[in-house]
Amino acid sequence: ELVNHFHRSAFHFQPPKHWINDPNGPLYYKGFYHLFYQYNTKGAVWGNIVWAHSVSKDLVNWEALEHAIYPSKWFDIKGTWSGSITLVPGKGPVILYTGINQNETQMQNYAIPEDPSDPYLRKWIKPDDNPVAMPDYTMNGSDFRDPTTAWLSKDGHWRTLVGSRKKHRGIAYIYRSRDFRHWVKAKHPVHSKESTGMWECPDFFPVSTIDFENGLDLDYAGPNAKHVLKVSLDMTRYEYYTLGKYYPKKDRYVPNGDSPDGWDGLRFDYGNFYASKTFFDYKKNRRILWGWANESDTVEDDISKGWAGLQVIPRTVLLDSSNKKQLVFWPIEEIESLRSSYVRMNNKDIEMGQRLEVKGITPAQADVEVTFNVGSLEKAEPFDTSYTYKPLDLCRVKGSNVTGGVGPFGLITLATPDLEEYTPIFFRVFKDTSTNKPKVLMCSDARPSSLEQDRGPLNQDRMYKPPFAGFVDVDLADGRISLRSLIDHSVIESFGALGKTVITSRVYPVKAVKENAHLYVFNNGTQTVNVESVDAWSMERPLQMNNGAT
Ligand code: FRU
């Protein structure tokens, strides 16, 4: 039975009960958005995984359908793991997914809709000529999974990537097919990187370097594009991506020289966000990103809540027009249809130690956008570029209470008025000592979020309250920087500088819940900052949130 627990999200995608992980096979087809996802039919921990399936007309209200794929054949009897969907002309949508056989070997399979004219795509067939790709003796049969959406190249071949590893080297294999049935592995991986471990859930897509409004479909082969390769690292449960060039004739991807490849790479999201996947939305010509946010409370908590995991609000993905060196992300516009009560504040100076309350909305279920103006950078703390600071180390030492020059300033969310519990999301502006340019740190810090004890990251049975951080690549030429947070009881998604840096965090306050949660704008830097505007909305629960697979 479903308990309406006070940590349960209201407007995020979540089935009524049990465990979920990766988003699978997102697609727009015949008027419906489809989302499949890894789902445990039996409980709130990982296991018994099927492809659960929901559809939506607007990416906000969802309707659950019967499970699309579940273990039933020799080639997937021990698991139906992650994969994707490709629209194949003449065939309709085709699923590629990873099946696990009796010996725990991973292999790639396909499935086709029983009736491609059904916009719901309710029934899926797994033909008997599966699998389409088996690991050969040179490959790692227990690390060979998560096929990407395929694309059709000019040479008449379909191509897809499959994640893998050899010892500590992360690998993305590339396969070719003429008929979407017989697949041949290219001689070399499309890309690989030493010391990164297994590459789960690769994603590979082009972005335009001149059009900053529309996304590109996978088969785009014209000029003015870069490719993005994202991988999910199972050792640390975070993802990174590079921007680079794809050479179709050689079947090679080469990251750009200024796009770090490895543990210090760029991230779609610097917080609790994993196994993400994009798709091209033919309806609105945009590329949309889905991603999974796991719980960070204890396994015990999950079992007693009866559910674990949610999907973040889908985000559009574009190349950053200002530097063309990174991507920018923004919650899909449809989510704004859930905005209800609204408050606005204008032009307020906040001095050091001051905190302004945002009243008149529901702070535990809200969408808030703030624009700050920092004025002068004179008081900014020096940033010594001869030392390579990791943003997370800085955030750990310089929390929201540690007085700075310019900043920390930002939002205090899910707070009790006495700040016994609170989750701050904030910026801290440093000044690069060699160039005098600003270096901006963004943190979302769960350490003070809950009175419940953190039992440390190595304890499986833990409540985990980590700080998360990333740098924000802005020049602050006009002094402005914005922050938007989507707050939904136990999940906070924050977008710095219009989506240049994104951080998702899961938090579990015990007092700052429902009506007892408060929202503030704050400044703990010696420099006064101006809040040019705050726009805040209560968020409604979607009318139809029956994501419930049973
Ligand atoms: C990523 C992942 C995938 C796998 C799936 C199994 O979270 O481990 O690599 O296909 O989850 O549920």
Side-chain angles (χ1 to χ4, degrees):
E1 199 185 302
L2 167 66
V3 188
N4 195 3
H5 194 275
F6 52 83
H7 289 141
R8 197 178 159 77
S9 76
F11 58 93
H12 279 74
F13 184 96
Q14 250 200 310
K17 59 182 179 182
H18 298 339
W19 163 277
I20 75 171
N21 56 296
D22 315 1
N24 294 152
L27 170 77
Y28 178 73
Y29 187 64
K30 293 190 188 291
F32 284 103
Y33 291 98
H34 291 256
L35 179 66
F36 305 81
Y37 55 98
Q38 297 276 287
Y39 177 67
N40 183 348
T41 52
K42 295 187 179 146
V45 297
W46 187 88
N48 317 300
I49 295 289
V50 302
W51 278 45
H53 183 194
S54 291
V55 291
S56 170
K57 292 225 163 195
D58 57 8
L59 292 162
V60 174
N61 298 282
W62 292 88
E63 181 187 348
L65 303 177
E66 53 269 54
H67 302 325
I69 297 186
Y70 41 86
S72 67
K73 305 258 182 152
W74 72 267
F75 48 78
D76 67 9
I77 197 67
K78 287 244 173 136
T80 48
W81 289 11
S82 286
S84 53
I85 291 194
T86 307
L87 251 185
V88 183
K91 292 193 197 222
V94 181
I95 288 178
L96 290 174
Y97 72 100
T98 300
I100 320 287
N101 75 0
Q102 194 60 42
N103 307 329
E104 309 280 343
T105 299
Q106 301 179 4
M107 52 197 68
Q108 314 322 317
N109 302 317
Y110 77 109
I112 50 175
E114 193 179 81
D115 175 11
S117 73
D118 168 21
Y120 288 90
L121 299 169
R122 279 179 187 275
K123 289 255 172 329
W124 290 82
I125 300 167
K126 299 182 289 191
D128 284 328
D129 56 356
N130 271 306
V132 296
M134 287 274 262
D136 67 31
Y137 70 97
T138 68
M139 294 154 69
N140 201 325
S142 49
D143 280 311
F144 176 54
R145 58 181 177 272
D146 308 339
T148 65
T149 303
W151 68 98
L152 184 59
S153 306
K154 284 194 177 132
D155 63 5
H157 283 97
W158 289 95
R159 284 174 167 80
T160 182
L161 308 189
V162 183
S164 190
R165 72 174 168 114
K166 263 186 186 165
K167 297 235 169 74
H168 302 295
R169 174 176 287 271
I171 294 182
Y173 291 116
I174 184 162
Y175 283 76
R176 277 196 295 271
S177 173
R178 278 203 177 272
D179 56 4
F180 223 89
R181 163 67 199 89
H182 299 92
W183 292 87
V184 177
K185 181 163 71 70
K187 205 158 147 204
H188 303 284
V190 73
H191 189 53
S192 73
K193 180 73 189 173
E194 72 277 359
S195 314
T196 51
M198 172 62 192
W199 281 3
E200 296 189 312
C201 302
D203 198 17
F204 190 52
F205 57 88
V207 286
S208 173
T209 56
I210 50 166
D211 176 354
F212 302 105
E213 268 155 41
N214 298 294
L216 294 177
D217 201 354
L218 290 191
D219 57 9
Y220 180 82
N224 306 314
K226 289 188 186 198
H227 261 78
V228 177
L229 176 63
K230 182 277 299 183
V231 296
S232 304
L233 304 179
D234 67 337
M235 283 159 73
T236 45
R237 300 259 121 190
Y238 76 69
E239 310 187 317
Y240 81 89
Y241 72 91
T242 51
L243 287 164
K245 191 164 167 56
Y246 169 51
Y247 297 91
K249 286 199 187 113
K250 294 189 197 145
D251 269 329
R252 291 278 200 169
Y253 166 78
V254 181
N256 293 155
D258 56 5
S259 196
D261 191 4
W263 293 100
D264 286 325
L266 294 165
R267 306 217 216 146
F268 288 179
D269 187 307
Y270 290 81
N272 181 337
F273 179 88
Y274 197 71
S276 70
K277 187 180 286 295
T278 63
F279 74 104
F280 184 69
D281 172 9
Y282 300 95
K283 184 177 172 190
K284 294 197 177 174
N285 274 315
R286 51 189 177 170
R287 181 159 293 279
I288 293 179
L289 172 70
W290 280 104
W292 163 49
N294 195 2
E295 302 302 307
S296 52
D297 58 358
T298 69
V299 172
E300 227 173 39
D301 289 338
D302 293 344
I303 291 168
S304 79
K305 291 185 312 209
W307 51 266
L310 52 80
Q311 306 296 344
V312 301
I313 302 301
R315 302 167 183 170
T316 56
V317 183
L318 289 165
L319 190 65
D320 185 342
S321 62
S322 67
N323 65 16
K324 299 185 185 174
K325 285 185 191 163
Q326 64 160 90
L327 300 173
V328 286
F329 305 91
W330 199 243
I332 48 151
E333 59 190 4
E334 287 87 337
I335 203 68
E336 294 164 26
S337 67
L338 296 176
R339 289 172 170 176
S340 56
S341 321
Y342 169 62
V343 291
R344 184 180 166 93
M345 292 199 274
N346 268 329
N347 188 22
K348 292 242 185 323
D349 280 333
I350 347 185
E351 286 164 25
M352 177 167 107
Q354 252 195 330
R355 159 157 73 99
L356 282 181
E357 179 155 15
V358 181
K359 287 187 181 154
I361 56 146
T362 53
Q365 201 174 305
D367 183 357
V368 51
E369 288 188 59
V370 204
T371 302
F372 296 94
N373 200 316
V374 301
S376 135
L377 291 184
E378 224 165 276
K379 293 186 184 154
E381 297 160 82
F383 189 90
D384 180 358
T385 39
S386 62
Y387 180 78
T388 44
Y389 294 98
K390 300 250 197 286
L392 191 53
D393 295 334
L394 275 176
C395 176
R396 263 200 198 98
V397 179
K398 296 189 180 267
S400 64
N401 286 329
V402 179
T403 305
V406 181
F409 60 86
L411 289 168
I412 291 179
T413 68
L414 298 178
T416 55
D418 59 2
L419 300 189
E420 233 186 322
E421 291 186 323
Y422 64 105
T423 302
I425 299 110
F426 57 97
F427 300 115
R428 191 174 195 112
V429 182
F430 297 89
K431 199 161 51 187
D432 186 327
T433 45
S434 57
T435 60
N436 255 346
K437 291 225 168 85
K439 182 85 185 170
V440 180
L441 177 73
M442 174 172 163
C443 303
S444 176
D445 192 353
R447 286 175 298 182
S449 62
S450 174
L451 289 170
E452 206 152 299
Q453 291 285 304
D454 189 325
R455 279 163 251 158
L458 293 177
N459 188 338
Q460 266 290 304
D461 227 15
R462 68 197 191 253
M463 169 162 297
Y464 187 36
K465 299 189 291 183
F468 291 120
F471 288 124
V472 193
D473 187 14
V474 283
D475 60 13
L476 293 176
D478 57 3
R480 283 212 181 100
I481 186 161
S482 70
L483 174 64
R484 177 176 179 191
S485 288
L486 291 166
I487 306 161
D488 194 2
H489 301 279
S490 64
V491 55
I492 304 168
E493 297 184 46
S494 300
F495 299 80
L498 299 175
K500 281 177 187 264
T501 302
V502 184
I503 307 179
T504 298
S505 182
R506 301 298 310 274
V507 293
Y508 307 88
V510 292
K511 292 188 173 173
V513 299
K514 302 245 158 135
E515 309 70 45
N516 299 323
H518 295 256
L519 175 67
Y520 305 90
V521 184
F522 82 100
N523 176 26
N524 278 332
T526 52
Q527 161 94 23
T528 299
V529 295
N530 183 262
V531 177
E532 290 193 348
S533 60
V534 179
D535 295 274
W537 294 263
S538 296
M539 292 292 274
E540 299 278 306
R541 181 184 291 275
L543 290 175
Q544 193 179 4
M545 190 49 117
N546 169 28
N547 305 325
T550 41

